[in-house]
């Protein structure tokens, strides 16, 4: 069992930075690929980024690759999403996720994500 808790969402002006955190609890967290999805009202969850179990491999949705950076600290069982140059269209609920058998570059269109966090709201003002 893995439990995921996101934090550090909030309200930020367009162009600003924000860093999201997700703390994962469980004995085997280090074996999981971790990542982020986001969801706006009335739309399906959209893949954002994923990082492999060692932190060496990353994969991004194309619209955020130049602005967002995903990283993890396995000593703290924490995954981060560093966001910069935020745009109003980045406004969404951001969900942390974990998958044991899905490589980062296969997260974008996967229905085998094992665990989800509760979500944290990010609002980017114009």
């Amino acid at each position: 069992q893995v439990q995921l808790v996101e934090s550090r969402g909030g309200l930020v002006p367009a162009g600003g930075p924000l860093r999201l955190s997700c703390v994962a609890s469980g004995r085997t967290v280090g074996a999981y690929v971790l990542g982020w999805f986001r969801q706006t009202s009335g739309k399906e969850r959209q893949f954002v980024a994923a990082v492999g179990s060692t932190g060496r491999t990353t994969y991004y949705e194309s619209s955020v690759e130049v602005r967002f950076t995903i990283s993890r600290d396995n000593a703290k069982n924490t995954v981060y999403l560093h966001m910069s140059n935020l745009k109003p269209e980045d406004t969404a609920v951001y969900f942390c996720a974990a998958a044991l058998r899905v490589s980062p570059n296969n997260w974008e269109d996967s229905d085998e994500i094992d665990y989800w966090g509760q979500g944290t709201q990010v609002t980017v003002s114009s």
Side-chain angles (χ1 to χ4, degrees):
Q1 289 287 96
V2 175
Q3 293 184 337
L4 304 167
V5 180
E6 306 96 331
S7 64
R8 308 301 175 90
L11 177 64
V12 60
L18 194 67
R19 187 182 76 167
L20 306 182
S21 298
C22 173
V23 177
S25 300
R27 295 191 301 173
T28 60
V29 170
Y32 283 78
V33 176
L34 301 175
W36 296 88
F37 288 76
R38 64 186 180 185
Q39 184 175 26
T40 58
S41 297
K43 297 182 179 180
E44 296 182 352
R45 290 185 185 183
Q46 180 186 32
F47 168 76
V48 177
V51 58
S53 60
T54 67
R56 299 171 186 171
T57 301
T58 59
Y59 186 74
Y60 299 89
E61 193 277 324
S62 60
S63 70
V64 306
E65 186 169 5
V66 299
R67 298 185 295 120
F68 292 8
T69 300
I70 187 171
S71 63
R72 67 191 291 169
D73 184 342
N74 284 347
K76 298 180 179 179
N77 283 343
T78 301
V79 61
Y80 304 95
L81 186 66
H82 301 260
M83 304 181 291
S84 62
N85 192 24
L86 284 163
K87 306 176 184 297
E89 51 262 44
D90 294 317
T91 295
V93 177
Y94 284 71
F95 295 89
C96 183
L100 185 62
R101 303 294 185 183
V102 186
S103 299
N105 62 353
N106 291 324
W107 270 48
E108 189 163 8
D109 194 23
S110 175
D111 61 356
E112 298 182 4
I113 306 300
D114 297 307
Y115 301 100
W116 297 90
Q118 82 289 350
T120 186
Q121 176 71 45
V122 174
T123 301
V124 183
S125 61
S126 301

